[in-house]
Amino acid sequence: MKPPALNRPMTRRKTIVATTIGNALEFFDFTVYGFMALLIGKLFFPTSTAYGQLLLTAATFGVGFIMRPLGGIVIGAYADRAGRKKAMTLTIFLMALGCALIALAPTYARIGVAAPMLIVLARLIQGFSAGGEVGASTTLLVEHATPADRGYMASWQFASQGLGILLGAVAVGLLTATLSPAALESWGWRVPFFLGMLIAPVGMYIRRHLEESLDVETPAARAKARRSSLSVVCSEHGRTVLAAILSIVGGTAAAYVVTFYMPTYAVRELGLPPTVALFGAALTGLLSFGLAPFIGRWSDRIGRKPLIVWSRIALVLMIYPGFLWLNQSPTPAVLFAVVGLLSITLVIQTVPGITMLPEMFPKHVRASGMSLVYSVGVALFGGFSPFISTWLLAVTGNRLAPAWYLLAMTLVSLLGLLWLKDFTGKDIDAAGAHQPA
């Protein structure tokens, strides 16, 4: 039974704010790195060709996702053993450490090969942190909700991602517009990462004063903590894990291609100015932040699965014509229209999707299950989407190759939904709600 304090309006608002700060910071850092890919490639991978620099930078963007499954397993287990609050305080500390390494890293011209190694280390730390952050924070939001509004509470996880993307795009846009190319290359690119270092302590302070949603003091909880949460998730809920991973691959691949790869694609392949591409990414963040809570409410009324299925069908129908239209008419108006339409379908499918993941698992392994599913799905099919898209363009010479990749991932993701149960409006902590598979 959920302690009554968790449902107080002030407690719920504090939970939303604390979660939003951490998630927004995570995606702010990832967004800035993605948008600075060309410049970072020049500063830290100068011995490669222009294409090689871009490919290496995209790979370094993706390498952060390699650590997500490990971070999900370790921090998810910690959240199920010590509590969601402690896990979330740890993740935001690690985010600040990753920001500091990137902000202070000397370039290749100063220390040689050690420079890209520092960037890779920072990305690995950020990936480890992010793997546990999403699971712990989404679980906390869901456990502070009632059965009637879990979609709304969980929607703030995705809304905060949109806020981070929006702020990251605006920050890079302002720096690009106000600084000379020499100043941007010399010191300007470091400014967003210093901002991340300053924001993190505020998030840590707020998170330390959250209401814990997991009772770790009961004898039953201590007995369950003796077993590895990963072994429980895999042995008792293995089919759910596999189905859930399949269900999110389409959304994560589309999200990272549309949000992080599209600016580079628009600049490098279509000749649009960098500021226009950044405004397109900012539009994605704005739509995600603004629409997510409303989609969460909608999913609480009509269910998670209908929204996911129909929005993914819409995405499948829109992907190829959208890329084709953008290639035939590479103008700012067309870019904004394509990015805006694709972003709306992403919000409609991602909010109920991210709500479903913690609903799939019992409370004593909920953070572990959520973290494992999300981090593996994102690591395999999300973070490396820019790398795969860049590689496909080089191999095929076809500018529409990213569209075919997204189309395939979206169709595969529909299969996973067949084996997932929709818990909309149901008590996920009731006895027998999660029978081992």
Side-chain angles (χ1 to χ4, degrees):
M1 180 70 66
K2 191 185 282 82
L6 295 185
N7 289 324
R8 291 201 306 259
M10 183 61 70
T11 300
R12 288 156 61 91
R13 284 196 291 269
K14 186 187 293 186
T15 302
I16 290 172
V17 171
T19 304
T20 300
I21 288 176
N23 284 308
L25 176 58
E26 174 202 337
F27 277 82
F28 175 83
D29 295 338
F30 273 68
T31 300
V32 169
Y33 187 91
F35 294 160
M36 292 287 192
L38 296 176
L39 181 55
I40 291 175
K42 179 181 178 182
L43 294 173
F44 289 89
F45 306 101
T47 58
S48 304
T49 63
Y51 167 71
Q53 290 175 7
L54 179 62
L55 196 60
L56 284 172
T57 309
T60 309
F61 178 85
V63 79
F65 292 83
I66 293 177
M67 292 294 286
R68 282 204 175 202
L70 180 59
I73 292 169
V74 174
I75 299 178
Y78 181 62
D80 284 330
R81 184 179 66 254
R84 322 311 189 196
K85 184 172 71 170
K86 289 184 178 179
M88 291 170 61
T89 303
L90 173 63
T91 58
I92 203 166
F93 167 77
L94 292 173
M95 289 179 202
L97 179 59
C99 285
L101 284 175
I102 296 177
L104 300 172
T107 63
Y108 187 93
R110 294 182 59 187
I111 61 172
V113 73
M117 291 176 64
L118 279 175
I119 297 297
V120 171
L121 175 62
R123 297 294 298 162
L124 291 174
I125 292 173
Q126 288 180 329
F128 183 87
S129 170
E133 165 69 20
V134 174
S137 61
T138 310
T139 297
L140 188 76
L141 285 167
V142 165
E143 291 175 347
H144 277 73
T146 67
D149 65 359
R150 279 199 304 269
Y152 169 75
M153 287 295 289
S155 72
W156 286 99
Q157 209 286 335
F158 189 68
S160 64
Q161 296 182 18
L163 178 61
I165 293 168
L166 173 62
L167 295 177
V170 170
V172 175
L174 288 175
L175 288 170
T176 303
T178 57
L179 295 180
S180 66
L184 186 64
E185 181 176 328
S186 175
W187 58 268
W189 69 272
R190 300 180 187 271
V191 171
F193 299 103
F194 279 115
L195 291 176
M197 291 171 57
L198 297 176
I199 294 170
V202 178
M204 291 175 65
Y205 174 80
I206 294 175
R207 289 184 168 191
R208 280 200 298 267
H209 293 81
L210 281 173
E211 295 278 354
E212 179 57 67
S213 63
L214 178 68
D215 189 352
V216 297
E217 299 300 327
T218 64
R222 288 196 295 268
K224 289 173 180 176
R226 295 191 189 104
R227 285 192 66 190
S228 166
S229 56
L230 178 63
S231 68
V232 174
V233 168
C234 294
S235 63
E236 298 183 4
H237 307 279
R239 190 175 70 174
T240 299
V241 169
L242 293 177
I245 290 174
L246 277 179
S247 73
I248 69 170
V249 298
T252 56
Y256 282 90
V257 168
V258 172
T259 305
F260 296 104
Y261 177 72
M262 190 67 76
T264 302
Y265 178 86
V267 172
R268 188 175 178 85
E269 301 295 331
L270 305 180
L272 292 179
T275 52
V276 173
L278 286 169
F279 282 128
L283 175 62
T284 298
L286 179 63
L287 290 171
S288 299
F289 181 64
L291 294 178
F294 297 99
I295 302 301
R297 292 287 192 194
W298 193 13
S299 75
D300 285 325
R301 287 197 297 270
I302 70 171
R304 322 287 186 222
K305 278 191 175 183
L307 288 179
I308 298 173
V309 170
W310 288 109
S311 61
R312 287 190 177 172
I313 291 175
L315 183 63
V316 167
L317 296 176
M318 291 167 53
I319 284 174
Y320 186 79
F323 269 85
L324 186 62
W325 184 25
L326 183 59
N327 275 269
Q328 291 178 344
S329 302
T331 64
V334 172
L335 174 65
F336 297 154
V338 171
V339 167
L341 289 173
L342 291 177
S343 297
I344 290 172
T345 64
L346 285 174
V347 179
I348 296 175
Q349 67 178 273
T350 305
V351 169
I354 208 168
T355 305
M356 286 186 71
L357 297 184
E359 291 179 325
M360 295 295 106
F361 301 96
K363 192 167 189 175
H364 64 284
V365 294
R366 184 167 295 146
S368 296
M370 164 72 187
S371 298
L372 177 64
V373 167
Y374 186 83
S375 59
V376 170
V378 172
L380 295 179
F381 303 99
F384 280 97
S385 293
F387 176 84
I388 294 171
S389 299
T390 303
W391 177 77
L392 286 174
L393 278 171
V395 170
T396 65
N398 187 345
R399 288 184 174 182
L400 299 178
W404 291 113
Y405 170 68
L406 289 184
L407 184 63
M409 292 298 98
T410 303
L411 291 174
V412 168
S413 69
L414 289 174
L415 298 176
L417 288 174
L418 297 175
W419 290 282
L420 293 180
K421 182 178 179 181
D422 195 331
F423 282 91
T424 303
K426 299 177 183 177
D427 185 358
I428 57 175
D429 293 324
H434 304 280
Q435 295 296 332

